[in-house]
Coordinates of all heavy atoms in Angstrom, one line a residue:
K1 N 2.4 -17.2 -2.9 CA 1.8 -16.5 -1.7 C 2.7 -15.3 -1.3 O 2.2 -14.2 -1.1 CB 1.7 -17.5 -0.6 CG 1.0 -16.9 0.6 CD 0.8 -17.9 1.7 CE 0.1 -17.3 2.9 NZ -0.1 -18.3 4.0
V2 N 4.0 -15.5 -1.3 CA 4.9 -14.4 -0.9 C 4.8 -13.3 -1.9 O 4.8 -12.1 -1.6 CB 6.4 -15.0 -0.8 CG1 7.3 -13.8 -0.6 CG2 6.5 -15.9 0.4
C3 N 4.8 -13.7 -3.2 CA 4.8 -12.7 -4.3 C 3.5 -11.8 -4.2 O 3.5 -10.6 -4.3 CB 4.9 -13.3 -5.6 SG 6.5 -14.1 -6.0
I4 N 2.4 -12.5 -4.0 CA 1.1 -11.8 -3.8 C 1.1 -10.8 -2.7 O 0.7 -9.7 -2.8 CB -0.1 -12.8 -3.7 CG1 -0.3 -13.5 -5.1 CG2 -1.4 -12.1 -3.3 CD1 -1.3 -14.7 -5.0
W5 N 1.7 -11.3 -1.5 CA 1.7 -10.4 -0.4 C 2.6 -9.2 -0.6 O 2.3 -8.1 -0.1 CB 2.2 -11.2 0.9 CG 1.1 -11.9 1.6 CD1 0.8 -13.2 1.7 CD2 0.0 -11.2 2.3 NE1 -0.3 -13.4 2.4 CE2 -0.8 -12.2 2.9 CE3 -0.2 -9.9 2.6 CZ2 -1.9 -11.9 3.6 CZ3 -1.4 -9.6 3.4 CH2 -2.2 -10.6 3.9
L6 N 3.7 -9.4 -1.3 CA 4.6 -8.3 -1.6 C 3.9 -7.2 -2.5 O 4.0 -6.0 -2.3 CB 5.9 -8.8 -2.3 CG 6.9 -9.5 -1.5 CD1 8.0 -10.1 -2.3 CD2 7.5 -8.6 -0.4
V7 N 3.1 -7.7 -3.5 CA 2.4 -6.8 -4.3 C 1.3 -6.1 -3.5 O 1.1 -4.9 -3.6 CB 1.8 -7.5 -5.5 CG1 0.8 -6.6 -6.3 CG2 2.9 -8.0 -6.5
V8 N 0.5 -6.9 -2.7 CA -0.5 -6.3 -1.9 C 0.0 -5.2 -0.9 O -0.5 -4.2 -0.7 CB -1.3 -7.4 -1.1 CG1 -2.2 -6.8 -0.1 CG2 -2.1 -8.3 -2.1
A9 N 1.2 -5.6 -0.3 CA 1.8 -4.6 0.6 C 2.2 -3.3 -0.1 O 2.1 -2.2 0.5 CB 3.0 -5.3 1.3
S10 N 2.7 -3.5 -1.3 CA 3.1 -2.3 -2.1 C 1.9 -1.4 -2.3 O 2.0 -0.1 -2.2 CB 3.6 -2.7 -3.5 OG 4.8 -3.5 -3.3
Y11 N 0.7 -2.0 -2.6 CA -0.5 -1.1 -2.9 C -1.0 -0.6 -1.6 O -1.5 0.6 -1.6 CB -1.6 -2.0 -3.6 CG -1.4 -2.0 -5.1 CD1 -0.7 -3.0 -5.7 CD2 -1.9 -1.0 -5.9 CE1 -0.5 -3.1 -7.0 CE2 -1.7 -1.0 -7.2 CZ -1.0 -2.0 -7.8 OH -0.8 -2.0 -9.2
L12 N -0.9 -1.3 -0.5 CA -1.4 -0.8 0.8 C -0.6 0.4 1.2 O -1.1 1.4 1.7 CB -1.3 -1.9 1.9 CG -2.4 -3.0 1.8 CD1 -2.1 -4.1 2.8 CD2 -3.8 -2.4 1.9
V13 N 0.8 0.3 1.1 CA 1.6 1.4 1.4 C 1.4 2.6 0.5 O 1.3 3.8 1.0 CB 3.1 1.0 1.3 CG1 4.0 2.2 1.5 CG2 3.5 0.0 2.4
G14 N 1.2 2.3 -0.8 CA 0.9 3.4 -1.7 C -0.4 4.1 -1.4 O -0.5 5.4 -1.4
C15 N -1.5 3.4 -1.1 CA -2.8 4.0 -0.7 C -2.6 4.8 0.6 O -3.2 5.9 0.6 CB -3.8 2.9 -0.5 SG -4.3 2.1 -2.1
A16 N -1.9 4.3 1.5 CA -1.7 5.1 2.8 C -0.9 6.3 2.5 O -1.3 7.4 3.0 CB -0.9 4.2 3.8
N17 N 0.1 6.3 1.7 CA 0.9 7.5 1.4 C 0.1 8.5 0.7 O 0.1 9.7 1.0 CB 2.1 7.0 0.5 CG 3.0 8.2 0.1 OD1 3.3 9.1 0.9 ND2 3.4 8.2 -1.2
G18 N -0.7 8.1 -0.3 CA -1.6 9.0 -1.1 C -2.6 9.6 -0.1 O -2.9 10.8 -0.2
L19 N -3.2 8.8 0.7 CA -4.2 9.3 1.6 C -3.7 10.4 2.6 O -4.3 11.4 2.9 CB -4.9 8.1 2.4 CG -6.1 8.4 3.2 CD1 -7.2 8.9 2.3 CD2 -6.5 7.2 4.0
I20 N -2.5 10.1 3.2 CA -1.9 11.0 4.2 C -1.6 12.4 3.5 O -2.1 13.4 4.0 CB -0.6 10.4 4.7 CG1 -0.9 9.2 5.6 CG2 0.2 11.5 5.5 CD1 0.3 8.4 6.1
H21 N -1.0 12.4 2.4 CA -0.6 13.6 1.7 C -1.8 14.4 1.2 O -1.9 15.6 1.3 CB 0.4 13.4 0.6 CG 1.8 13.0 1.1 ND1 2.4 13.7 2.1 CD2 2.6 12.0 0.8 CE1 3.6 13.1 2.4 NE2 3.7 12.1 1.6
T22 N -2.7 13.6 0.6 CA -3.9 14.3 0.0 C -4.8 14.9 1.2 O -5.2 16.1 1.0 CB -4.8 13.3 -0.7 OG1 -4.0 12.7 -1.8 CG2 -6.0 13.9 -1.4
N23 N -4.9 14.2 2.2 CA -5.7 14.7 3.3 C -5.1 15.9 4.0 O -5.8 16.9 4.3 CB -5.9 13.5 4.4 CG -6.9 13.9 5.4 OD1 -8.0 14.3 5.2 ND2 -6.5 13.8 6.7
T24 N -3.8 15.8 4.2 CA -3.2 17.0 4.9 C -3.0 18.2 4.0 O -3.1 19.3 4.5 CB -1.8 16.5 5.5 OG1 -1.0 16.0 4.4 CG2 -1.9 15.5 6.6

């Protein structure tokens, strides 16, 4: 469960980072 959450969190942060820079 911890491992899955760490991977999911990595993708959520990655998507947020990509969205912020692409949008601005």
Side-chain angles (χ1 to χ4, degrees):
K1 184 178 180 181
V2 171
C3 293
I4 290 172
W5 272 112
L6 286 172
V7 171
V8 170
S10 298
Y11 277 94
L12 288 176
V13 171
C15 290
N17 181 41
L19 189 62
I20 289 169
H21 289 309
T22 304
N23 188 51
T24 55

